[in-house]
Amino acid sequence: MPHLMLASLTTLRLGGPVGEPLYVSDHDDWQELVHTVGRREEYSPLTLGHGSNVIASDTGHPGTVAVMNTRGITAKRHDDNTALVTVLASHPLTDLTTWAATEHLAGIECLAGIPGTVGAAPVQNAGAYGQQVGDTLDHLTAWDWDMDRLRTLPAQACRLRHRNSRFKHDPGRWTILTVTFRLTRSPAAPISYQPLAEELGVQPGTRPPVSEVTHCSASRPRSTCC
Ligand SMILES: Cc1cc2nc3c(=O)[nH]c(=O)nc-3n(C[C@H](O)[C@H](O)[C@H](O)COP(=O)(O)OP(=O)(O)OC[C@H]3O[C@@H](n4cnc5c(N)ncnc54)[C@H](O)[C@@H]3O)c2cc1C
């Protein structure tokens, strides 16, 4: 059988053969799947979302490559106008921000338009226009390849910093499976990014409706990470 190529999984269309592909389309199958891959201990596993932020080598990845394709959003609403929103790893971030806007849930509206999956977003604490994942991350679940078990990490344990996290410093150890945000039914978070405020026609510090900020963030030109 021909090798799966990383080039088919990355948006730059770069990258050589994959050693052991692990296709994950149903979250509930994860534990079973992970125990069936013939993992080669000498190579760290690689996890891919949409492959929008990966430059893969022509030599490929000789170890396990987890190709995440799990999608879904579930929300637990609380009386205090907050909701715990749990999202499966491969759900597109932009789809989540659109959903949150429809539900009038604030906290991730400036992330609209960032390419990629929700599972990849904590890896670099994805953010834009003064807002980042760490502002509303409650906890996440991840497979710990070193300990061979499922872990629940509260936001603090993820060590999120500006475009940085513990996951960046330990490549291959973690596959993030679900991400849970605590969102609030309220107007958008106060706008801190001057150009966004100007485009919205408001003063910095204003809290426009979530849908307006989502729409404006999604339609701003985006070349690279900010
Ligand atoms: C045009 C453009 C604009 C961008 N703008 C922004 C921006 O405004 N702000 C911003 O923060 N970023 C921005 N980025 C970067 C990119 O959107 C983020 O890095 C995003 O999180 C990548 O998602 P992905 O699913 O494509 O991840 P991938 O490219 O598949 O993976 C990125 C990294 O995360 C790891 N990873 C992926 N999924 C998982 C998982 N489930 N568990 C563990 N590790 C995983 C991968 O191994 C890799 O190290 C931009 C990128 C592009 C190309």
Side-chain angles (χ1 to χ4, degrees):
M1 203 159 106
H3 273 295
L4 174 69
M5 303 295 278
L6 284 174
S8 67
L9 303 170
T10 57
T11 55
L12 290 175
R13 297 283 170 252
L14 293 174
V18 165
E20 186 79 51
L22 175 61
Y23 295 102
V24 189
S25 50
D26 186 339
H27 174 73
D28 295 334
D29 291 346
W30 172 264
Q31 300 242 14
E32 200 183 320
L33 279 172
V34 92
H35 287 123
T36 58
V37 290
R39 186 175 160 213
R40 297 170 63 183
E41 296 291 338
E42 67 269 40
Y43 300 113
S44 298
L46 169 70
T47 304
L48 284 181
H50 286 171
S52 72
N53 213 13
V54 171
I55 299 176
S57 136
D58 286 349
T59 54
H61 186 82
T64 303
V65 175
V67 185
M68 304 305 289
N69 198 19
T70 54
R71 291 176 177 216
I73 302 173
T74 49
K76 256 193 220 161
R77 287 164 214 284
H78 299 277
D79 292 341
D80 62 355
N81 269 343
T82 63
L84 275 182
V85 177
T86 298
V87 192
L88 297 185
S90 201
H91 205 95
L93 183 57
T94 285
D95 187 83
L96 172 65
T97 55
T98 304
W99 175 87
T102 336
E103 300 288 320
H104 308 285
L105 289 170
I108 51 174
E109 52 279 359
C110 292
L111 311 186
I114 298 181
T117 57
V118 172
V123 173
Q124 66 158 24
N125 190 16
Y129 317 136
Q131 194 173 68
Q132 45 272 312
V133 164
D135 296 346
T136 46
L137 179 71
D138 188 81
H139 66 274
L140 56 78
T141 60
W143 185 256
D144 182 341
W145 290 89
D146 282 4
M147 299 180 82
D148 213 19
R149 69 179 177 89
L150 189 64
R151 306 266 306 269
T152 298
L153 301 182
Q156 210 184 5
C158 300
R159 294 183 219 132
L160 303 178
R161 302 282 180 269
H162 185 72
R163 305 296 168 265
N164 208 340
S165 73
R166 72 180 296 170
F167 309 111
K168 270 201 163 176
H169 295 276
D170 222 349
R173 176 167 176 188
W174 304 97
T175 294
I176 296 168
L177 298 173
T178 67
V179 182
T180 299
F181 298 89
R182 185 177 291 276
L183 304 181
T184 311
R185 198 175 163 87
S186 69
I191 303 296
S192 61
Y193 187 68
Q194 176 77 33
L196 187 65
E198 282 168 19
E199 274 174 48
L200 286 159
V202 299
Q203 293 297 319
T206 305
R207 303 187 64 178
V210 175
S211 56
E212 279 180 28
V213 180
T214 304
H215 178 73
C216 191
S217 303
S219 45
R220 298 192 89 237
R222 216 170 268 275
S223 51
T224 52
C225 171
C226 59

Short mmCIF file of all heavy atoms in Angstrom, two decimals, residues 46-54 68 89 114-117 119-121 123-128 163 174-176 222-226, ligand 1:
data_model
loop_
_atom_site.label_atom_id
_atom_site.label_comp_id
_atom_site.label_asym_id
_atom_site.label_seq_id
_atom_site.Cartn_x
_atom_site.Cartn_y
_atom_site.Cartn_z
N LEU A 46 3.14 12.51 16.18
CA LEU A 46 2.82 13.86 15.69
C LEU A 46 1.30 13.93 15.56
O LEU A 46 0.68 13.02 15.01
CB LEU A 46 3.48 14.08 14.32
CG LEU A 46 3.06 15.32 13.52
CD1 LEU A 46 3.60 16.59 14.19
CD2 LEU A 46 3.60 15.26 12.08
N THR A 47 0.71 15.02 16.06
CA THR A 47 -0.74 15.20 15.93
C THR A 47 -1.00 16.34 14.97
O THR A 47 -0.37 17.40 15.07
CB THR A 47 -1.37 15.53 17.30
OG1 THR A 47 -1.02 14.49 18.21
CG2 THR A 47 -2.88 15.61 17.19
N LEU A 48 -1.92 16.15 14.05
CA LEU A 48 -2.25 17.19 13.08
C LEU A 48 -3.71 17.57 13.16
O LEU A 48 -4.58 16.71 13.30
CB LEU A 48 -1.96 16.70 11.65
CG LEU A 48 -0.50 16.67 11.22
CD1 LEU A 48 -0.40 16.18 9.79
CD2 LEU A 48 0.16 18.05 11.35
N GLY A 49 -3.96 18.89 13.06
CA GLY A 49 -5.33 19.37 12.88
C GLY A 49 -5.53 19.61 11.40
O GLY A 49 -5.47 18.69 10.59
N HIS A 50 -5.70 20.89 11.03
CA HIS A 50 -5.86 21.20 9.60
C HIS A 50 -4.52 21.38 8.90
O HIS A 50 -4.48 21.64 7.70
CB HIS A 50 -6.70 22.47 9.43
CG HIS A 50 -8.15 22.24 9.71
ND1 HIS A 50 -9.07 23.24 9.78
CD2 HIS A 50 -8.83 21.08 9.95
CE1 HIS A 50 -10.26 22.73 10.05
NE2 HIS A 50 -10.14 21.43 10.16
N GLY A 51 -3.42 21.29 9.63
CA GLY A 51 -2.10 21.38 9.00
C GLY A 51 -1.79 22.76 8.45
O GLY A 51 -0.97 22.91 7.54
N SER A 52 -2.41 23.81 9.05
CA SER A 52 -2.20 25.16 8.51
C SER A 52 -0.95 25.82 9.08
O SER A 52 -0.50 26.85 8.59
CB SER A 52 -3.41 26.05 8.79
OG SER A 52 -3.47 26.37 10.17
N ASN A 53 -0.39 25.23 10.14
CA ASN A 53 0.77 25.86 10.78
C ASN A 53 1.91 24.85 10.96
O ASN A 53 2.60 24.85 11.97
CB ASN A 53 0.37 26.44 12.14
CG ASN A 53 1.15 27.69 12.48
OD1 ASN A 53 1.81 28.26 11.62
ND2 ASN A 53 1.09 28.11 13.72
N VAL A 54 2.06 23.99 9.95
CA VAL A 54 3.10 22.96 10.01
C VAL A 54 3.94 23.02 8.75
O VAL A 54 3.39 23.06 7.64
CB VAL A 54 2.44 21.55 10.11
CG1 VAL A 54 3.47 20.46 9.96
CG2 VAL A 54 1.69 21.41 11.42
N MET A 68 -6.47 14.07 13.19
CA MET A 68 -7.70 14.32 13.94
C MET A 68 -8.82 14.77 13.01
O MET A 68 -8.66 15.67 12.20
CB MET A 68 -7.46 15.40 15.00
CG MET A 68 -6.34 15.11 15.96
SD MET A 68 -6.51 13.52 16.80
CE MET A 68 -7.89 13.88 17.89
N ALA A 89 -11.63 17.97 19.10
CA ALA A 89 -10.34 18.52 18.65
C ALA A 89 -10.33 19.09 17.24
O ALA A 89 -9.72 20.12 16.99
CB ALA A 89 -9.27 17.46 18.77
N ILE A 114 -9.34 32.92 12.54
CA ILE A 114 -8.03 32.26 12.69
C ILE A 114 -8.15 30.86 12.07
O ILE A 114 -9.02 30.09 12.45
CB ILE A 114 -7.61 32.15 14.18
CG1 ILE A 114 -7.44 33.54 14.78
CG2 ILE A 114 -6.33 31.35 14.32
CD1 ILE A 114 -7.01 33.55 16.25
N PRO A 115 -7.27 30.54 11.12
CA PRO A 115 -7.38 29.23 10.48
C PRO A 115 -7.08 28.10 11.47
O PRO A 115 -6.34 28.30 12.42
CB PRO A 115 -6.30 29.24 9.39
CG PRO A 115 -5.77 30.63 9.33
CD PRO A 115 -6.14 31.31 10.61
N GLY A 116 -7.65 26.94 11.22
CA GLY A 116 -7.27 25.75 12.00
C GLY A 116 -8.34 25.24 12.92
O GLY A 116 -9.48 25.72 12.94
N THR A 117 -7.91 24.26 13.70
CA THR A 117 -8.85 23.52 14.55
C THR A 117 -8.81 24.03 16.00
O THR A 117 -7.84 24.64 16.44
CB THR A 117 -8.46 22.03 14.57
OG1 THR A 117 -7.09 21.94 15.03
CG2 THR A 117 -8.57 21.40 13.20
N GLY A 119 -8.59 22.04 18.56
CA GLY A 119 -7.59 21.25 19.30
C GLY A 119 -6.19 21.82 19.20
O GLY A 119 -5.38 21.69 20.12
N ALA A 120 -5.89 22.48 18.08
CA ALA A 120 -4.56 23.07 17.91
C ALA A 120 -4.45 24.42 18.60
O ALA A 120 -3.34 24.88 18.90
CB ALA A 120 -4.25 23.23 16.42
N ALA A 121 -5.58 25.06 18.85
CA ALA A 121 -5.56 26.44 19.34
C ALA A 121 -4.82 26.62 20.68
O ALA A 121 -4.09 27.61 20.84
CB ALA A 121 -6.98 27.00 19.41
N VAL A 123 -2.27 25.05 21.66
CA VAL A 123 -0.84 24.76 21.48
C VAL A 123 -0.04 26.06 21.43
O VAL A 123 1.01 26.18 22.06
CB VAL A 123 -0.60 23.89 20.22
CG1 VAL A 123 0.89 23.72 19.95
CG2 VAL A 123 -1.29 22.54 20.35
N GLN A 124 -0.56 27.04 20.70
CA GLN A 124 0.17 28.31 20.69
C GLN A 124 -0.66 29.42 21.35
O GLN A 124 -0.42 30.58 21.11
CB GLN A 124 0.58 28.69 19.27
CG GLN A 124 -0.57 29.01 18.33
CD GLN A 124 -0.07 29.87 17.18
OE1 GLN A 124 1.09 29.87 16.84
NE2 GLN A 124 -0.97 30.64 16.58
N ASN A 125 -1.64 29.01 22.16
CA ASN A 125 -2.53 30.00 22.78
C ASN A 125 -2.98 31.00 21.70
O ASN A 125 -2.74 32.21 21.80
CB ASN A 125 -1.81 30.71 23.94
CG ASN A 125 -2.76 31.57 24.76
OD1 ASN A 125 -3.97 31.44 24.67
ND2 ASN A 125 -2.18 32.47 25.55
N ALA A 126 -3.63 30.45 20.69
CA ALA A 126 -4.02 31.24 19.51
C ALA A 126 -4.79 32.48 19.94
O ALA A 126 -5.60 32.45 20.89
CB ALA A 126 -4.87 30.38 18.57
N GLY A 127 -4.56 33.56 19.24
CA GLY A 127 -5.23 34.79 19.61
C GLY A 127 -5.15 35.85 18.54
O GLY A 127 -4.38 35.72 17.58
N ALA A 128 -5.97 36.86 18.71
CA ALA A 128 -5.96 37.99 17.78
C ALA A 128 -6.67 39.17 18.43
O ALA A 128 -7.61 38.98 19.22
CB ALA A 128 -6.67 37.61 16.47
N ARG A 163 1.27 33.30 22.63
CA ARG A 163 1.52 32.34 21.53
C ARG A 163 2.41 31.19 21.98
O ARG A 163 3.26 30.72 21.23
CB ARG A 163 2.13 33.02 20.29
CG ARG A 163 1.35 34.19 19.76
CD ARG A 163 -0.05 33.82 19.25
NE ARG A 163 -0.79 35.03 19.03
CZ ARG A 163 -1.62 35.56 19.94
NH1 ARG A 163 -1.88 34.92 21.08
NH2 ARG A 163 -2.23 36.67 19.70
N TRP A 174 1.70 15.16 23.71
CA TRP A 174 0.26 15.36 23.93
C TRP A 174 -0.55 15.31 22.65
O TRP A 174 -0.15 15.89 21.64
CB TRP A 174 0.02 16.75 24.55
CG TRP A 174 0.76 17.00 25.81
CD1 TRP A 174 1.95 17.65 25.94
CD2 TRP A 174 0.38 16.59 27.12
NE1 TRP A 174 2.32 17.69 27.25
CE2 TRP A 174 1.38 17.05 28.00
CE3 TRP A 174 -0.73 15.90 27.63
CZ2 TRP A 174 1.32 16.82 29.38
CZ3 TRP A 174 -0.78 15.67 29.00
CH2 TRP A 174 0.23 16.13 29.85
N THR A 175 -1.70 14.66 22.71
CA THR A 175 -2.73 14.84 21.68
C THR A 175 -3.95 15.40 22.39
O THR A 175 -4.56 14.72 23.25
CB THR A 175 -3.10 13.51 20.99
OG1 THR A 175 -1.96 13.05 20.25
CG2 THR A 175 -4.27 13.69 20.02
N ILE A 176 -4.29 16.63 22.06
CA ILE A 176 -5.45 17.27 22.69
C ILE A 176 -6.72 16.71 22.05
O ILE A 176 -6.85 16.68 20.82
CB ILE A 176 -5.36 18.81 22.54
CG1 ILE A 176 -4.13 19.32 23.30
CG2 ILE A 176 -6.64 19.49 23.03
CD1 ILE A 176 -3.75 20.76 23.02
N ARG A 222 -5.95 38.65 6.88
CA ARG A 222 -5.09 37.90 7.79
C ARG A 222 -3.96 37.30 7.00
O ARG A 222 -4.19 36.48 6.12
CB ARG A 222 -5.92 36.77 8.39
CG ARG A 222 -5.65 36.44 9.80
CD ARG A 222 -6.73 35.49 10.22
NE ARG A 222 -7.84 36.20 10.82
CZ ARG A 222 -7.89 36.53 12.09
NH1 ARG A 222 -6.90 36.24 12.88
NH2 ARG A 222 -8.93 37.16 12.57
N SER A 223 -2.74 37.73 7.25
CA SER A 223 -1.64 37.13 6.49
C SER A 223 -0.93 36.09 7.35
O SER A 223 -0.70 34.97 6.95
CB SER A 223 -0.66 38.19 6.03
OG SER A 223 -0.29 38.98 7.12
N THR A 224 -0.58 36.47 8.57
CA THR A 224 0.10 35.53 9.45
C THR A 224 -0.52 35.66 10.82
O THR A 224 -1.48 36.37 11.01
CB THR A 224 1.60 35.84 9.58
OG1 THR A 224 1.69 37.21 9.95
CG2 THR A 224 2.35 35.57 8.31
N CYS A 225 0.12 35.00 11.74
CA CYS A 225 -0.30 35.08 13.12
C CYS A 225 -0.07 36.46 13.70
O CYS A 225 0.86 37.14 13.32
CB CYS A 225 0.54 34.05 13.84
SG CYS A 225 0.41 34.09 15.54
N CYS A 226 -0.93 36.96 14.60
CA CYS A 226 -0.67 38.25 15.24
C CYS A 226 -0.61 38.12 16.75
O CYS A 226 -0.88 37.10 17.28
CB CYS A 226 -1.74 39.26 14.85
SG CYS A 226 -3.38 38.77 15.30
C1 LIG B 1 -2.95 32.83 7.06
C2 LIG B 1 -2.78 32.45 8.51
C3 LIG B 1 -3.22 33.33 9.50
C4 LIG B 1 -3.05 33.02 10.84
N1 LIG B 1 -3.48 33.89 11.79
C5 LIG B 1 -3.33 33.59 13.10
C6 LIG B 1 -3.77 34.50 14.11
O1 LIG B 1 -4.31 35.56 13.86
N2 LIG B 1 -3.57 34.12 15.42
C7 LIG B 1 -3.00 32.92 15.77
O2 LIG B 1 -2.86 32.64 16.95
N3 LIG B 1 -2.59 32.04 14.81
C8 LIG B 1 -2.73 32.35 13.51
N4 LIG B 1 -2.29 31.48 12.55
C9 LIG B 1 -1.71 30.20 12.96
C10 LIG B 1 -2.74 29.03 12.96
O3 LIG B 1 -4.02 29.49 12.67
C11 LIG B 1 -2.76 28.39 14.35
O4 LIG B 1 -1.50 27.87 14.67
C12 LIG B 1 -3.80 27.23 14.41
O5 LIG B 1 -3.96 26.87 15.77
C13 LIG B 1 -3.37 26.03 13.57
O6 LIG B 1 -4.43 25.09 13.57
P1 LIG B 1 -4.31 23.74 12.73
O7 LIG B 1 -5.46 22.88 13.06
O8 LIG B 1 -4.09 24.04 11.29
O9 LIG B 1 -2.99 23.13 13.38
P2 LIG B 1 -1.84 22.29 12.66
O10 LIG B 1 -1.14 23.16 11.66
O11 LIG B 1 -2.35 20.98 12.22
O12 LIG B 1 -0.86 22.07 13.90
C14 LIG B 1 -0.17 23.16 14.50
C15 LIG B 1 0.60 22.64 15.71
O13 LIG B 1 -0.31 22.16 16.69
C16 LIG B 1 -0.12 20.75 16.92
N5 LIG B 1 -1.48 20.17 17.03
C17 LIG B 1 -2.50 20.26 16.14
N6 LIG B 1 -3.60 19.66 16.63
C18 LIG B 1 -3.25 19.17 17.85
C19 LIG B 1 -3.95 18.42 18.85
N7 LIG B 1 -5.23 18.04 18.71
N8 LIG B 1 -3.26 18.05 19.96
C20 LIG B 1 -1.96 18.41 20.15
N9 LIG B 1 -1.25 19.11 19.24
C21 LIG B 1 -1.89 19.48 18.10
C22 LIG B 1 0.65 20.24 15.70
O14 LIG B 1 1.42 19.08 16.02
C23 LIG B 1 1.51 21.44 15.36
O15 LIG B 1 2.62 21.50 16.23
C24 LIG B 1 -2.45 31.77 11.20
C25 LIG B 1 -2.04 30.87 10.20
C26 LIG B 1 -2.21 31.20 8.87
C27 LIG B 1 -1.77 30.20 7.84
#
